[in-house]
Amino acid sequence: MTSTREHILFTALKLILKKGYGNITMNELVEASGLSKGAFYHYFESKDQIYYETLEKYFFSYMASFDLTYNKAQSFKSNLFQVFTMFIEFASEIESMIGPENPMISYYNTLLESAIRSDDIREKVSNYYELWLDSITGWIEIAQSNKEIDPNLDPAILSKHIGGLMEGVMIIYSFQNKEKNLEKYFNEIFYQFFELIKNKNLNEKL
């Protein structure tokens, strides 16, 4: 059962995605929630408080939920594919949650706007990506030592390619026909990308 606090945050998310944080007022938030002012202010004292809690619940908690533990019993390809699968599930969940009236591009735009608006948020997003890239860099180093991918590739740079690929594909997908299956869309790109980075001298099929 959704709590009143969660109801307010979800209402705020919808308005922020639709209009942008700077274009909504506290009165709009109260009205959209269907609560009285007294009930509303019992949970939140300011628009900024709502904004930061909305970002924490619907943006940063999703980022933190990604499991970047490398499974040594599997190949690099399988580990990387699992990350892509997590990203697909994340994107699908967000699309389902925000509804067709709020395209996925609005979600990205809100994250970018928040990073521009606040140094603290920008640092938080930056720290998340640094952690993500460091983890993938470690994965690549393991894969190169196992002769799974091209040993001539710089792990730190390749990790940025992978990060950019995942985010970029999602943004491009946001502009394209939603009738295209998201999972198939990602898989087509993933498998061709892996063909470019795998160790061409390895005979066994990875």
Side-chain angles (χ1 to χ4, degrees):
M1 185 175 180
T2 302
S3 69
T4 301
R5 192 179 199 88
E6 290 173 332
H7 167 67
I8 293 172
L9 291 176
F10 188 63
T11 299
L13 174 68
K14 292 274 192 167
L15 278 176
I16 291 169
L17 291 174
K18 184 176 181 179
K19 300 183 65 175
Y21 173 74
N23 298 318
I24 58 177
T25 65
M26 211 44 183
N27 285 336
E28 284 181 286
L29 288 166
V30 172
E31 183 178 349
S33 73
L35 300 171
S36 67
K37 280 191 175 183
F40 191 96
Y41 279 90
H42 172 73
Y43 293 94
F44 297 99
E45 297 179 355
S46 69
K47 192 174 80 163
D48 280 351
Q49 183 190 3
I50 297 173
Y51 183 55
Y52 286 112
E53 288 200 31
T54 299
L55 291 173
E56 187 63 43
K57 181 173 180 61
Y58 294 109
F59 291 81
F60 301 131
S61 64
Y62 280 98
M63 292 179 175
S65 69
F66 277 28
D67 183 3
L68 296 176
T69 304
Y70 190 83
N71 184 349
K72 293 184 178 180
Q74 296 181 347
S75 67
F76 172 78
K77 182 179 181 181
S78 295
N79 275 281
L80 188 58
F81 184 71
Q82 285 183 352
V83 172
F84 270 67
T85 299
M86 282 192 294
F87 198 69
I88 292 167
E89 292 172 350
F90 154 75
S92 298
E93 184 176 348
I94 293 298
E95 283 197 317
S96 175
M97 178 183 68
I98 65 179
E101 69 276 14
N102 294 297
M104 189 69 183
I105 196 66
S106 299
Y107 187 85
Y108 277 98
N109 183 61
T110 298
L111 183 61
L112 291 171
E113 182 187 43
S114 68
I116 293 171
R117 183 179 295 278
S118 166
D119 289 340
D120 289 341
I121 292 175
R122 183 163 59 252
E123 183 177 1
K124 191 166 188 173
V125 175
S126 176
N127 288 341
Y128 162 75
Y129 278 115
E130 286 301 318
L131 175 63
W132 196 94
L133 292 172
D134 286 346
S135 296
I136 299 301
T137 297
W139 289 23
I140 293 166
E141 290 170 347
I142 293 172
Q144 287 178 323
S145 68
N146 292 335
K147 298 181 170 35
E148 295 180 73
I149 61 174
D150 190 338
N152 298 309
L153 298 173
D154 185 305
I157 294 175
L158 182 54
S159 71
K160 293 182 176 67
H161 278 290
I162 293 171
L165 175 66
M166 292 174 66
E167 295 288 2
V169 167
M170 192 64 246
I171 291 174
I172 293 171
Y173 171 81
S174 300
F175 283 105
Q176 294 186 327
N177 189 346
K178 290 299 175 23
E179 292 180 1
K180 188 174 182 65
N181 181 273
L182 178 58
E183 184 174 1
K184 181 180 178 182
Y185 188 72
F186 261 97
N187 288 351
E188 289 172 345
I189 293 167
F190 170 81
Y191 284 112
Q192 180 155 317
F193 174 76
F194 191 80
E195 287 298 313
L196 297 174
I197 68 171
K198 72 179 185 180
N199 188 345
K200 306 300 189 297
N201 296 321
L202 191 62
N203 292 324
E204 70 174 290
K205 186 177 180 181
L206 296 174

